[in-house]
Amino acid sequence: MGRLRRLLAPGRPKLVSLRTTFAVSFAAVTAAVTILVGILSYGSAARLVRVDQQSVFSQVVQDVRDEVRQHEMVPEDFSSSRPGHDLVRPARTDVQVLGAQGQIVDHGNPSLPVTSRDKAMALATTAGKVVQHKDVPVDGDLFRIATVSLGDGRGAVQVAQEFSDTEDLLRTLQQRTLILMAAVVVAAGLFGWWLARRITRRLVILTSAAEDVARTRRLGIEVPVAGLDEVGRLGRAFDRMLGRLAQSEEDQRRLVQDAGHELRTPLTSLRTNISLLRRIDELPPATRDELVADLGQEARELTDLVNELVDLAAGQSDTEPPQRVDIADIAEEVVGLARRRTGREIVLRTSGDTTTDGRPGMLQRAMSNLVENAAKFDRAGKAPIEVNIAGPTRTSPVRVEVLDRGPGIAEGDLIRIFDRFYRAADARSLPGSGLGLSIVREVAMAHGGAPFAFRREGGGAVIGFTVGG
């Protein structure tokens, strides 16, 4: 959020929107593809047209050469005024006949220029010899001309093909291609803008929600969630993140309020006893000893309360990485430590596969709280404390439960014993802060399970939690 505020701060360069970037990128890619396709298409079309025209002209020239080689022909045989004997003239093809001295005996339409090389062909003794001219201007148009000798000095035939109109046609095609390409690029830009607007609309909404959170610091802002694509997943993830942040903030607020409330009692008692220390010389020895004992007890309770608050806060923000753990192994360590601390008989029973994914430190803390809670309330210690660890079944995940033969739990207290700082009426005279079981609940929920408690048949209580539900 801080980085977002810095980006939006005055004086910063204006950010280019994703919508504009997407639209420009879409138009640029489309333009590049369109230009490439247009150039390749025009080049191929122009090449085909030019090759086709050249092929037609070459075929006409070859037909004339074959004709004069196979038959002894004279200029009059190619005259356009002699029906049945004129040369077939394809479109945009002009024919002009030269006499024995290279003079024009039958003008073409338009009349073609005659060079010395053409006159030499008219005087050639070999039939079918050819001389060609390219890009010859005639009446403002360009022609390619081939002069074919008739042989024995009888003259020659000039065959010309106009190709300037072909180039005009190709230029027109080029212009139309450019116009079409420009239209496609503009249409692609408009379509890209519409598509970018449609795609980024939900991202804009999410951005607005993030900016509102950064500006107001309110985590309860509603985040619109729609769609099953990546943007929809992002919206749902963002909504869940805000929900967890709001819950974490609420938990911290409640923890501070509850801790402040619970700390007032021992601190008030400590202040009272400290004020009495100023007159300790005036007190009888028995009262002095009682005062010192009270101070020690209150200091211990305050220390326990602070430690449990730290444990509870750590449970909410525990960064211990999950790993594959065996609940039975953790329980064995907890039971061994509790035996040494309390001197009580504690029986551990395990069944099934008790391995699961979890945070060993948190699980050990929760089980320690359960065992210490059982030892505290079962002060008589006539029966051993029992710890049962059961592997998962079809109806239940890994299950941890601690059984004692203490006074049990009243029906009205069963649903509240996992609340923070809650202490049943018959337990308020005992040491403790009321946070131990709330830590058990936090650990269970962090591992996908839930806490449970019920009255034990024959007296006592069964309290525990599940893991990986």
Side-chain angles (χ1 to χ4, degrees):
M1 294 181 187
R3 184 172 183 268
L4 180 62
R5 286 196 295 271
R6 291 195 298 271
L7 290 175
L8 298 177
R12 295 280 182 176
K14 186 176 180 181
L15 298 177
V16 179
S17 67
L18 180 62
R19 180 181 301 171
T20 302
T21 303
F22 185 85
V24 171
S25 300
F26 187 86
V29 171
T30 305
V33 173
T34 302
I35 292 173
L36 180 62
V37 172
I39 292 175
L40 293 177
S41 299
Y42 172 77
S44 299
R47 185 166 53 255
L48 288 174
V49 171
R50 291 189 179 105
V51 169
D52 182 66
Q53 292 295 318
Q54 179 65 40
S55 298
V56 171
F57 181 71
S58 298
Q59 186 61 47
V60 171
V61 173
Q62 186 63 40
D63 289 343
V64 174
R65 296 181 67 189
D66 293 342
E67 186 72 16
V68 299
R69 286 172 178 173
Q70 295 173 7
H71 307 284
E72 187 176 314
M73 305 186 74
V74 296
E76 289 75 10
D77 292 331
F78 294 97
S79 175
S80 58
S81 61
R82 188 174 181 182
H85 296 280
D86 58 315
L87 182 69
V88 177
R89 292 168 171 80
R92 298 189 298 280
T93 301
D94 189 17
V95 177
Q96 182 169 277
V97 184
L98 303 180
Q101 301 301 319
Q103 75 279 13
I104 300 175
V105 297
D106 190 356
H107 288 274
N109 185 24
S111 181
L112 303 176
V114 180
T115 65
S116 58
R117 296 175 64 192
D118 299 325
K119 293 179 180 179
M121 287 296 101
L123 298 172
T125 58
T126 304
K129 293 184 66 176
V130 179
V131 60
Q132 295 195 20
H133 309 281
K134 295 181 179 180
D135 301 335
V136 179
V138 180
D139 292 346
D141 295 320
L142 292 178
F143 285 76
R144 55 172 63 93
I145 301 174
T147 303
V148 182
S149 64
L150 299 180
D152 296 330
R154 292 189 296 271
V157 177
Q158 287 183 300
V159 180
Q161 182 187 54
E162 180 185 354
F163 65 88
S164 59
D165 58 346
T166 300
E167 296 301 321
D168 292 339
L169 174 64
L170 292 177
R171 279 193 292 271
T172 301
L173 176 63
Q174 184 182 49
Q175 293 173 356
R176 293 183 178 180
T177 301
L178 291 175
I179 293 173
L180 180 61
M181 289 164 54
V184 170
V185 171
V186 172
L190 295 175
F191 178 75
W193 179 261
W194 174 82
L195 185 62
R197 182 183 180 87
R198 182 179 179 86
I199 291 175
T200 60
R201 183 173 61 245
R202 289 175 293 162
L203 287 176
V204 171
I205 295 174
L206 287 177
T207 302
S208 299
E211 291 173 345
D212 288 343
V213 172
R215 184 178 63 257
T216 63
R217 297 188 179 182
R218 291 188 297 108
L219 300 176
I221 292 178
E222 182 179 357
V223 179
V225 178
L228 300 176
D229 54 5
E230 287 80 359
V231 179
R233 290 170 54 195
L234 175 62
R236 284 186 289 274
F238 187 68
D239 188 57
R240 288 194 299 269
M241 180 189 70
L242 287 182
R244 291 185 179 179
L245 287 175
Q247 182 62 44
S248 177
E249 185 180 52
E250 176 63 20
D251 289 343
Q252 291 177 2
R253 185 186 63 80
R254 286 178 50 224
L255 179 61
V256 170
Q257 290 178 347
D258 293 344
H261 174 74
E262 292 298 323
L263 286 170
R264 287 191 187 100
T265 300
L267 288 175
T268 300
S269 179
L270 279 173
R271 283 198 302 269
T272 302
N273 288 331
I274 289 173
S275 65
L276 289 176
L277 285 176
R278 296 175 181 174
R279 298 185 296 111
I280 192 169
D281 294 335
E282 303 173 7
L283 301 176
T287 305
R288 294 178 188 178
D289 294 340
E290 184 179 352
L291 176 59
V292 173
D294 287 344
L295 285 172
Q297 178 64 29
E298 289 163 0
R300 284 191 297 272
E301 290 185 6
L302 186 59
T303 301
D304 292 341
L305 176 58
V306 171
N307 288 336
E308 289 184 337
L309 284 172
V310 172
D311 288 343
L312 185 60
Q316 294 174 357
S317 60
D318 202 308
T319 57
E320 183 182 12
Q323 55 185 283
R324 198 67 181 172
V325 297
D326 190 338
I327 304 294
D329 291 343
I330 298 176
E332 188 172 351
E333 295 179 8
V334 170
V335 168
L337 181 60
R339 285 172 181 155
R340 291 190 296 272
R341 284 181 177 176
T342 64
R344 294 287 304 275
E345 181 182 0
I346 304 175
V347 178
L348 173 63
R349 299 187 183 91
T350 63
S351 62
D353 182 11
T354 58
T355 58
T356 185
D357 293 327
R359 296 178 172 88
M362 295 177 66
L363 293 170
Q364 184 177 23
R365 185 186 308 132
M367 282 189 276
S368 296
N369 288 354
L370 289 177
V371 175
E372 291 174 3
N373 186 75
K376 179 174 65 175
F377 284 94
D378 188 7
R379 288 171 292 177
K382 296 180 179 178
I385 298 172
E386 300 177 23
V387 179
N388 294 335
I389 312 294
T393 63
R394 289 187 300 176
T395 59
S396 174
V398 177
R399 183 181 178 91
V400 178
E401 59 182 23
V402 177
L403 301 82
D404 64 62
R405 287 298 182 182
I409 306 172
E411 289 292 339
D413 294 330
L414 284 174
I415 61 174
R416 299 193 58 191
I417 63 172
F418 293 102
D419 294 344
R420 292 176 184 171
F421 301 105
Y422 179 76
R423 304 183 73 188
D426 56 355
R428 290 171 187 168
S429 60
L430 298 176
S433 62
L435 287 175
L437 293 184
S438 66
I439 294 175
V440 172
R441 180 187 63 183
E442 297 288 342
V443 172
M445 295 179 65
H447 287 80
F452 60 84
F454 53 88
R455 297 169 64 86
R456 185 181 183 185
E457 185 177 354
V462 180
I463 306 178
F465 62 95
T466 57
V467 178

